[in-house]
Amino acid sequence: MKIEYHKSLKEYNTFGIDVTAAKFVQITSESELKDILLKEVQEPLFVLSGGSNMLLTKNIDALVLYIAIKGISIQEESDSFVLLSVNAGENWHDFVQYCIKNNYGGLENLSLIPGYVGSAPIQNIGAYGVELKDTLVSCEAINITTGKKQLFSNKDCQFGYRNSIFKNEGKGKYIITRVIFRLTKKDHILNTSYGAIKKALADKGITKPTIKDVSEAVIQIRKSKLPDPLEIGNSGSFFKNPVISKDHFFKLQRSYPTIPFYKVDESAMKVPAAWLIEQCGFKGKRWGDAGVHKKQALVLVNYNNATGKEILDLAKRIQKAIKEKFDIFLETEVNII
Ligand code: EPU
């Protein structure tokens, strides 16, 4: 294990923000991780995975542990299902493509999400009607203080919309090292309810889609709307879609009859943050190198050399405008560091 000093993190976060880590080490096995936790007990630590859901606003004055533990193995299988054990440092999209190639169903709607497998449970990644929690059996994590391994069942993870125990009482306490998935080998349960997926399949004349067809449809939709982090720095949706009370929603609907919505339950509605942001005139706007994506208003972008602070200032301006116009507070989805 080689410790590097004053290392630039520009290549390690999808926003492409150029801050430095005081110390940086790449971890390629669980034993390396345990060793470093034993050796560096006094050191403040910062755990880095795919860097796809964070906005770095300052240099990291800590030892950055870059979790690059690779490997996929079959734990158990039958004619109809497979239990896959996947190490935290596997690239998420490459893993989904591995599943498609092997005809393992369940993750196809989550194609092309940036990041690594180990951080997927933290915010219960989701897209097009599917969330990680639908296929995750359990995950293993190292407790940073004790150095001991802990197993979290699906229930233990306390998953919610872009939420889990690892964002709440478990925050900063664990390093996820492995995730176990249960995927189908036949009779796949496809979720093609999302309008854009239906349309993409119909356009191709596909009536009996395979998991590969669904994955390709999702890839096509994402590529048409979302910027590729390798070309324009971004972290996907910057804010969560807010959930508001029905009373609040009906009041807004009287003033804005076209406001889109999804019913959450008898008393609450979810509204797309992208719509709120677009209504406030931010879509496609740019200030220096910080901007709001022209095709998806929920995505903030770094065109080149924006600082984390510039992106954060823009996010705050958006939050303020939406609070004033709609009386809604937009919570960030991205972790602000
Ligand atoms: N809309 C606008 N303006 C825009 C874009 C969208 O008004 O510029 C409105 C439209 O009414 C549209 C609605 O917002 O129908 C929803 O838009 P979209 O389908 O693009 O989804 P989203 O709610 O903006 C969420 C997730 C995405 C996920 C998509 C598809 C959150 C915070 N984001 O976005 O996840 O890919 O649904 O399921 O829940 C991510 O988490 O990083 C992410 C990209």
Side-chain angles (χ1 to χ4, degrees):
M1 272 181 296
K2 186 174 132 234
I3 295 190
E4 297 172 71
Y5 295 87
H6 306 296
K7 176 148 176 107
S8 168
L9 296 179
K10 191 172 167 68
E11 305 295 321
Y12 293 87
N13 69 103
T14 59
F15 247 124
I17 304 292
D18 196 7
V19 296
T20 55
K23 287 167 91 179
F24 178 98
V25 65
Q26 177 163 328
I27 307 286
T28 56
S29 69
E30 217 173 279
S31 56
E32 276 185 1
L33 178 58
K34 285 185 174 159
D35 278 0
I36 202 113
L37 289 176
L38 275 178
K39 255 192 237 146
E40 308 282 347
V41 269
Q42 305 295 354
E43 194 85 28
L45 299 175
F46 181 89
V47 183
L48 179 63
S49 177
S52 62
N53 201 41
M54 55 168 59
L55 177 67
L56 296 167
T57 62
K58 53 180 187 288
N59 290 332
I60 309 293
D61 193 17
L63 170 62
V64 172
L65 302 179
Y66 174 53
I67 310 299
I69 311 172
K70 304 247 189 254
I72 303 176
S73 59
I74 295 178
Q75 267 207 340
E76 200 186 316
E77 68 181 317
S78 74
D79 280 356
S80 54
F81 77 90
V82 62
L83 282 192
L84 285 183
S85 162
V86 189
N87 285 332
E90 287 289 335
N91 174 284
W92 176 263
H93 179 63
D94 292 348
F95 163 56
V96 173
Q97 291 310 296
Y98 160 91
C99 294
I100 304 291
K101 226 169 97 191
N102 288 285
N103 193 35
Y104 300 149
L107 298 175
E108 50 284 350
N109 293 47
L110 305 181
S111 298
L112 215 62
I113 294 183
Y116 293 176
V117 168
S119 46
I122 299 174
Q123 60 148 347
N124 181 25
I125 57 170
Y128 310 106
V130 171
E131 288 183 328
L132 183 84
K133 71 167 173 51
D134 305 330
T135 50
L136 179 142
V137 175
S138 57
C139 61
E140 282 177 18
I142 303 284
N143 182 315
I144 292 177
T145 349
T146 63
K148 293 235 167 73
K149 198 188 283 184
Q150 235 167 291
L151 185 73
F152 291 81
S153 69
N154 183 304
K155 193 160 170 266
D156 295 337
C157 292
Q158 298 173 17
F159 289 124
Y161 165 58
R162 296 294 189 276
N163 210 355
S164 76
I165 188 169
F166 305 108
K167 273 184 134 179
N168 296 291
E169 71 243 42
K171 194 173 175 173
K173 292 191 188 149
Y174 303 99
I175 300 174
I176 297 172
T177 48
R178 185 198 304 261
V179 183
I180 317 292
F181 297 88
R182 188 180 208 276
L183 303 171
T184 49
K185 285 174 66 177
K186 61 180 187 189
D187 304 328
H188 303 305
I189 304 157
L190 300 182
N191 188 329
T192 56
S193 57
Y194 198 87
I197 295 188
K198 270 198 193 127
K199 186 173 179 310
L201 293 172
D203 286 352
K204 286 190 185 164
I206 297 170
T207 48
K208 285 199 178 119
T210 61
I211 54 170
K212 185 159 188 274
D213 294 329
V214 176
S215 169
E216 283 172 359
V218 168
I219 291 172
Q220 184 190 325
I221 299 162
R222 290 189 77 100
K223 281 191 171 162
S224 72
K225 283 198 209 170
L226 299 168
D228 178 351
L230 292 175
E231 287 161 22
I232 305 175
N234 75 90
S235 268
S237 301
F238 196 90
F239 302 101
K240 288 188 194 180
N241 286 328
V243 174
I244 58 175
S245 73
K246 265 201 169 150
D247 288 350
H248 188 171
F249 173 76
F250 288 130
K251 217 166 101 197
L252 288 176
Q253 204 182 33
R254 278 197 288 280
S255 313
Y256 307 94
T258 60
I259 184 169
F261 61 94
Y262 322 94
K263 188 176 163 188
V264 174
D265 57 35
E266 288 319 309
S267 59
M269 300 291 230
K270 195 187 259 187
V271 292
W275 186 88
L276 302 170
I277 297 169
E278 189 170 342
Q279 294 302 304
C280 288
F282 285 99
K283 189 170 179 173
K285 292 275 167 59
R286 176 174 176 167
W287 291 265
D289 273 350
V292 178
H293 189 52
K294 56 181 184 302
K295 292 189 196 150
Q296 223 304 1
L298 192 46
V299 179
L300 302 192
V301 291
N302 170 13
Y303 282 103
N304 205 359
N305 286 316
T307 61
K309 170 124 192 348
E310 283 165 336
I311 305 271
L312 185 60
D313 285 347
L314 171 57
K316 284 183 179 160
R317 287 207 301 284
I318 291 173
Q319 282 172 323
K320 187 164 177 276
I322 284 171
K323 181 77 188 141
E324 278 167 15
K325 195 172 168 86
F326 300 106
D327 194 22
I328 292 177
F329 175 70
L330 279 192
E331 217 182 296
T332 59
E333 194 210 88
V334 165
N335 294 312
I336 313 291
I337 310 292

